Amino acid sequence: MKKTKFNQIHYKLGAKMVEFAGYEMPVQYSSIIAEHKAVRNSVGVFDVSHMGEVFISGEKALGFVQYITTNDASKLSPGRIQYSVMCYPDGGIVDDLLVYNLAENEYMLVVNAANIDKDFQWMKDNNVFGVELKNRSDEFSLLAVQGPNSKAVVQKLMETELDLEYYHFRKDKIAGVDMIISRTGYTGELGYELYFTGDESVAEKVWNSIFEAGKEFDIQPAGLAARDSLRLEMGYCLYGNDIDKTTNPLEAGLGWITKLKKGNFIGLDSILKAKNDGLKRRLVALTSNERAFPRHGYDITFNGEKIGTITSGTISPVLEKPIALGYVDTRFKEAGTKVNFLIRGKEIPAEIVKLPFVNI
């Protein structure tokens, strides 16, 4: 099992550690709800060093990125980031990812931890452009500083003005350490993701500097469980739950990052066919006023008939009621539609709603 450079810090903080995507990771420190609310109300820090970083360079780097991803990377300039997915020829999703335009003919793709090896192999198998591919996932540490006070914390550790717009990044120093500072996150809050290399001593220096700077804001470490409840309140997809090789981006509500007119990319023909044939199901947001815990794999029903399946569910720490994502027959996709969660044989009244569940 791999360990991040912050492993000993997590143990010292008393984190509950679990195996996740081949890494030993902190699932929680104090309580999931307390960590969740720290991010919503002030600032929290996540170790997400298990994420993968693949670097692409060469004369045809843009052509390669355009071919393997669904979004239009030609719209990026250096310092810009894009959310995208890679698809199989049948339109199923290989992974969702972030595309960073580092410089002309140079990109960084940030992929999900559980998919690093699969994704890198997929890129190599489809490298008909002769670009250079480097999997540098093990070299990079990654901290996500998230919450309304995240800018104030990070700014304290910089000598330059932190004026990044959403989905922009730049290279700079934090606590004297060179890094990529990215205004991105998986929480819906103002936040920054900090990519840097170096050993445990560098990682510890950065961690301790952030927590010292955040002391006045009662900064808290946050684990994977809070990361999951935060992303679900926003309706962000989780690979392996809400999207996978059996789902196409249109039915997953990712049409906004699927540019069908940009030129050829892997999966285009199948996605066009699915669109022209009419989508059979859609990923929707659901909530209930009942005391219930909707879980991945539970049925969604209407008048006793199964019409779909829950892909992600929890009790929202902010709303204090059940929230879920799930696929339903397209007849039932409109907000306001009354349906049910089928939980242990009992139908629990629920309703399809618009995202996000929580307005930031």
Side-chain angles (χ1 to χ4, degrees):
M1 193 159 49
K2 290 182 177 179
K3 295 176 180 178
T4 76
K5 303 287 195 304
F6 305 98
N7 185 269
Q8 288 308 302
I9 292 173
H10 301 320
Y11 271 104
K12 283 177 192 164
L13 290 168
K16 180 184 175 188
M17 304 292 280
V18 297
E19 188 277 330
F20 181 81
Y23 281 82
E24 188 177 35
M25 298 297 292
V27 69
Q28 70 183 86
Y29 299 84
S30 54
S31 83
I32 298 165
I33 291 175
E35 293 164 30
H36 182 110
K37 288 185 172 176
V39 173
R40 285 277 178 257
N41 299 325
S42 186
V43 59
V45 180
F46 302 83
D47 174 12
V48 281
S49 305
H50 59 321
M51 299 291 282
E53 293 86 14
V54 176
F55 288 75
I56 296 160
S57 58
E59 199 180 316
K60 296 183 179 175
L62 173 59
F64 174 72
V65 173
Q66 288 285 64
Y67 180 59
I68 63 163
T69 65
T70 61
N71 209 336
D72 187 356
S74 72
K75 296 282 194 282
L76 292 175
S77 53
R80 300 289 297 267
I81 311 159
Q82 190 175 72
Y83 179 53
S84 196
V85 294
M86 295 190 292
C87 287
Y88 293 104
D90 67 0
I93 297 174
V94 179
D95 204 3
D96 62 334
L97 67 158
L98 292 180
V99 178
Y100 286 70
N101 185 352
L102 300 175
E104 190 179 1
N105 301 326
E106 196 178 336
Y107 295 85
M108 176 175 76
L109 305 188
V110 180
V111 301
N112 284 298
N115 295 334
I116 295 170
D117 293 340
K118 175 190 79 174
D119 288 358
F120 191 56
Q121 189 60 52
W122 181 252
M123 291 176 206
K124 288 195 291 187
D125 290 347
N126 288 285
N127 185 9
V128 291
F129 291 80
V131 298
E132 185 178 9
L133 297 168
K134 281 185 184 170
N135 178 6
R136 298 182 61 194
S137 304
D138 291 342
E139 296 174 41
F140 277 86
S141 290
L142 175 55
L143 291 179
V145 185
Q146 302 281 306
N149 288 318
S150 58
K151 182 177 182 180
V153 172
V154 176
Q155 181 65 79
K156 278 188 179 184
L157 302 169
M158 297 178 66
E159 293 179 1
T160 53
E161 182 71 25
L162 180 59
D163 54 357
L164 286 173
E165 292 178 43
Y166 192 45
Y167 270 66
H168 286 62
F169 74 93
R170 77 168 189 251
K171 293 178 181 179
D172 209 325
K173 286 186 195 299
I174 288 180
V177 176
D178 287 317
M179 56 181 78
I180 292 171
I181 304 166
S182 170
R183 203 183 137 195
T184 46
Y186 199 38
T187 64
E189 297 291 341
L190 173 67
Y192 300 87
E193 292 180 307
L194 313 177
Y195 299 82
F196 59 97
T197 58
D199 61 12
E200 280 79 359
S201 65
V202 175
E204 193 171 335
K205 178 189 177 187
V206 173
W207 179 281
N208 290 342
S209 298
I210 290 169
F211 275 80
E212 185 60 36
K215 204 177 271 184
E216 66 172 291
F217 304 107
D218 196 24
I219 194 168
Q220 297 293 319
L224 293 178
R227 190 167 183 255
D228 191 52
S229 56
L230 287 157
R231 70 91 194 169
L232 189 46
E233 282 186 342
M234 299 307 297
Y236 296 156
C237 289
L238 173 64
Y239 192 89
N241 280 46
D242 315 302
I243 50 174
D244 59 27
K245 66 182 180 183
T246 70
T247 63
N248 76 50
L250 301 186
E251 63 190 13
L254 297 176
W256 61 282
I257 59 164
T258 308
K259 306 301 185 187
L260 300 174
K261 294 177 179 172
K262 72 164 183 172
N264 188 37
F265 62 86
I266 301 170
L268 173 61
D269 291 346
S270 297
I271 294 167
L272 278 171
K273 184 176 188 308
K275 183 183 181 185
N276 293 333
D277 290 351
L279 300 175
K280 306 288 188 289
R281 60 178 184 167
R282 281 296 298 265
L283 187 68
V284 296
L286 307 107
T287 188
S288 173
N289 293 317
E290 304 292 317
R291 287 174 64 85
F293 198 118
R295 296 184 190 275
H296 173 79
Y298 285 4
D299 288 352
I300 302 165
T301 63
F302 181 82
N303 286 346
E305 173 199 354
K306 178 180 175 180
I307 59 161
T309 307
I310 293 170
T311 54
S312 290
T314 194
I315 305 297
S316 161
V318 171
L319 302 177
E320 297 182 338
K321 65 182 192 179
I323 60 172
L325 296 176
Y327 285 93
V328 297
D329 184 307
T330 44
R331 291 173 298 154
F332 300 93
K333 71 179 172 66
E334 297 302 328
T337 305
K338 308 288 188 193
V339 295
N340 302 288
F341 298 140
L342 188 65
I343 300 179
R344 290 186 290 280
K346 186 182 175 191
E347 287 192 324
I348 308 293
E351 182 178 345
I352 292 171
V353 295
K354 287 185 173 169
L355 287 170
F357 293 106
V358 173
N359 288 306
I360 304 303

